[in-house]
Amino acid sequence: MPQRIRSPEDLQPQFSFDGASSFTTVESKFKIEQLFNHGRWKDPFTFKHLLFCLYLPIGLILWPFRLLIIIVLFTLTLFLPKSFSKYTKPIAKIAMGIKTKYNGLENLPKKGDKNGARILVCNHLTDFDPYPLFGILEENHVMVGSHIRDVPIVGKLYERFNTIYVDQNNKAKARIDVLNSLSNTDFPLLIYPEGGLNNGKTGLMMFNKFVFGLGHSICPIAMKLNNNWPVEIDYINSSWFKNFFWWILIPYHNFELTFLPHESIKQDETDSQFATRVQTIIANKLALEPTLYNYTQKRQYAKHLLSLKK
């Protein structure tokens, strides 16, 4: 059922379109390594670590049952009509251990509202970020690379989520494909323009500018994960499978989502400047810095860390 695939590497629905680097203001106060977790267990060791270790046997017993529920729901998603999702979504949230608080619901685009924001832009914290939104969105588009369509099972699953397939090597065609898809429906496109995960503790990575030049209004979403457990959901160079194992092992996850007022590109604004402005709006809401680090730099840093281990 996961919406986003991070392993194996060649199945990543990432985009190579230009980022927002042409609009810079100040240098980042942080080093790039501060944007990411560097291990599963938090430092320093506290009493919470001991309590969590005592819980681990229970979590390991519950793990296969939660996984079984997720697999059954995954199968139902592939074969049952979409109308059944109103029954499967609440069960999926329980199986995934997701508790969500929503703020600013008056800004959430309503289905059928032609004047509402057509693009939902959110910061990216975990591999499972779409699930808190599934609980409140009736329907939405997702955007992935066109090669995903041919991946067994995964390609079939994405077809069930109103997927817009784009050619990552042809920006002009991708723009046409996205605009055509949006014109044929009345529900929004959900996207994470950072392109990768960060720890949500210091700053946001630079937003990819692609969707900010489509001529549609944007609904910024500020997502916060209140992780009180002594383990991290993700760390740099971790795999999707490892993150999934620990995600199911942890009893529950507290999300807080704030839907912010809609934003449109200004007459004198470039796509890059609009992307940076929305990045700054979300970062300010979360009391984080809108950094100039992009996803490419994250990958380079991750490769550097791997080279140090050799």
Side-chain angles (χ1 to χ4, degrees), residues 108-155:
L108 177 66
K110 304 297 189 295
K111 188 175 180 181
D113 182 5
K114 294 294 184 180
N115 297 319
R118 298 304 311 282
I119 301 174
L120 306 176
V121 166
C122 188
N123 57 304
H124 210 358
L125 301 175
T126 77
D127 290 295
F128 315 102
D129 285 351
Y131 288 96
L133 282 163
F134 288 167
I136 198 166
L137 294 178
E138 296 181 55
E139 283 191 278
N140 64 276
H141 288 290
V142 295
M143 184 170 66
V144 300
S146 56
H147 66 286
I148 298 293
R149 190 198 303 264
D150 300 321
V151 178
I153 301 179
V154 175

Side-chain angles (χ1 to χ4, degrees), residues 2 22 65 183 302:
S22 61
F65 295 100
S183 66

Side-chain angles (χ1 to χ4, degrees), residues 175-185:
R175 175 185 171 87
I176 294 172
D177 290 341
V178 172
L179 289 174
N180 286 341
S181 296
L182 290 176
S183 66
N184 291 328
T185 67

Side-chain angles (χ1 to χ4, degrees), residues 40-75:
R40 185 68 64 186
W41 293 91
K42 293 180 179 179
D43 289 326
F45 184 87
T46 66
F47 188 63
K48 287 184 178 181
H49 289 72
L50 177 60
L51 292 178
F52 189 79
C53 289
L54 293 175
Y55 164 78
L56 278 178
I58 300 174
L60 290 171
I61 292 172
L62 294 176
W63 197 95
F65 295 100
R66 295 176 68 176
L67 177 63
L68 178 62
I69 295 172
I70 293 169
I71 292 174
V72 170
L73 293 174
F74 173 90
T75 306

Side-chain angles (χ1 to χ4, degrees), residues 278-289:
V278 173
Q279 177 201 21
T280 302
I281 289 171
I282 295 176
N284 288 344
K285 181 63 181 180
L286 296 170
L288 303 175
E289 182 191 351

Side-chain angles (χ1 to χ4, degrees), residues 33-38 124-125 197-203 225 232 234 288:
E33 55 262 33
Q34 293 177 268
L35 292 175
F36 316 111
N37 300 316
H38 290 79
H124 210 358
L125 301 175
L197 309 181
N198 68 74
N199 59 21
K201 300 173 184 176
T202 55
L225 175 62
E232 303 289 3
D234 172 76
L288 303 175

